Amino acid sequence: MADLLIVGGGIMGLWAGVMAERVGLETVLVERDVIGAGASGGVLGALMPHMPDRWNAKKQFQFDALISLEMEIAALEAETGLSAGYRRSGRIMPLAKPYLRTIALRHEQDALVNWHSGDRQFHWHVQDQFHDGGWLNVDAAESGVVFDTLAARVAPRPFLAMLASHLRRSRHVRIEEGQAVVHIDPVAGHATFADGSSLSFGACILANGVQAFPFIDELTKVSGVSGVPVKGQAALLKADIDPGLPVVFTDGLYVVAHENGLVAVGSTSENTFENAASIDGQLDDLLRQAADLVPLIRAAPVIERWAGVRPKAIGRDPMAGRHPDHPRIHALAGGFKISFGIAHRLASAVVSQIMGDTDQSLPSSFRCQTHIELLSKEAAK
Ligand SMILES: Cc1cc2nc3c(=O)[nH]c(=O)nc-3n(C[C@H](O)[C@H](O)[C@H](O)COP(=O)(O)OP(=O)(O)OC[C@H]3O[C@@H](n4cnc5c(N)ncnc54)[C@H](O)[C@@H]3O)c2cc1C
């Protein structure tokens, strides 16, 4: 019998483990393959804030998460002696047209109002150019460039390894790799695994990425699909660059400078695909666009090409918290393109709920209940 069963060893499941350890829940975290086998084991690691305009609860949640992540990582790095490859290196976005500069100047003011925490102010600077020869092609930035000082990056695999290392020395959380959940009895609180073994639990967190959706669908009274996979391809390059350079972002294309001469380029966004793991010409196109945008990586060899599937919930926002029909079952999924920046805060809210606290920190569009309501509306159409 476990107080808590966590299904999935990606960024969501591992943070759930960290939060469970903090409150002393006797926890088993099962991963059907190995830690990081899913979407979390990629190469990009961009931590991108939402736009600073039209502020709302979900933007505030993500902002607070991006601020607190820095301290969380520093503490875990100190404890484990491992690096998560985190740096608040900021982000630059080229402005190709004059009207984009006009909009960006408005956002510069929005950031002054909305992007502050205590005595820390983050900026959306509009500049004529970015002074780091060769990092951004000046031809792409005819109307200037935005330099955002809030964005950051993390190295996904070292980050996961650090979280797993912390959990492996924890008192209350046990990680079991190679253990796939095949069935959940939400009423009895009982999980059955692929090898025929089983486990009773007080509460269960479904943090198994895109596979969380079919589990939730099976447990939900209304029929429908609570989320879908969106494939992405990305690449890792080796280049002699300053690891402090900001993330370059435009039109879905990211170039992320990491430590040790590594640069990540991503990502395709594919709603239909035949093979979730395959690499194809769409990544070559992306690499060509990246080389146009960032001259410093033109001669850089590609050392890895990678593909994964992002979990996108029916409401597009993350899906977290108690299942409305089953009080033992909690969702922690649907982080889509922003999981790395918010997983710790989502996990904290979910574990607080399990502990019986009235945690109000989750925006309503994030709640599992809200997604299930959308499912009901779809089913009624
Ligand atoms: C190309 C690409 C680039 C991306 N770039 C970024 C980025 O820059 N920043 C960002 O924040 N996000 C990014 N994302 C999105 C991010 O990777 C995902 O949102 C995130 O990894 C989802 O984490 P997760 O823990 O929910 O799922 P996963 O990482 O997929 O973890 C789920 C785990 O559950 C396991 N599992 C599944 N079924 C079972 C079962 N039945 N029993 C036990 N275990 C099971 C799987 O093996 C897997 O390890 C990117 C995604 C892609 C594909």
Side-chain angles (χ1 to χ4, degrees), residues 232-245:
Q233 300 180 48
L236 201 57
L237 288 68
K238 189 90 178 119
D240 185 17
I241 48 111
D242 173 358
L245 284 166

Side-chain angles (χ1 to χ4, degrees), residues 7-14 30-48 160 179-182 193 207-212 215 230-234 254 256 266-268 306-311 332-342:
V7 186
I11 191 68
M12 295 285 194
L14 291 171
V30 294
E31 161 55 50
R32 72 173 173 190
D33 194 338
V34 292
I35 296 299
S40 305
V43 294
L44 209 66
L47 302 172
M48 301 287 92
L160 298 185
Q179 189 70 292
V181 173
V182 289
F193 301 104
N208 47 334
V210 293
Q211 282 83 25
F215 274 92
V230 177
K231 182 177 170 182
Q233 300 180 48
Y254 298 82
V256 186
S267 304
T268 66
W306 179 86
V309 279
R310 312 171 179 97
L332 185 56
F336 195 28
K337 296 185 176 178
I338 59 166
S339 294
F340 275 86
I342 59 171

Side-chain angles (χ1 to χ4, degrees), residues 17-71:
V18 173
M19 299 305 165
E21 168 67 16
R22 286 186 190 165
V23 296
L25 284 172
E26 293 306 323
T27 300
V28 179
L29 185 160
V30 294
E31 161 55 50
R32 72 173 173 190
D33 194 338
V34 292
I35 296 299
S40 305
V43 294
L44 209 66
L47 302 172
M48 301 287 92
H50 288 302
M51 304 292 283
D53 64 334
R54 290 179 291 155
W55 207 242
N56 58 28
K58 94 183 175 190
K59 290 189 176 190
Q60 186 67 44
F61 182 93
Q62 193 219 22
F63 176 83
D64 292 340
L66 289 172
I67 303 299
S68 60
L69 184 60
E70 188 179 325
M71 277 85 80

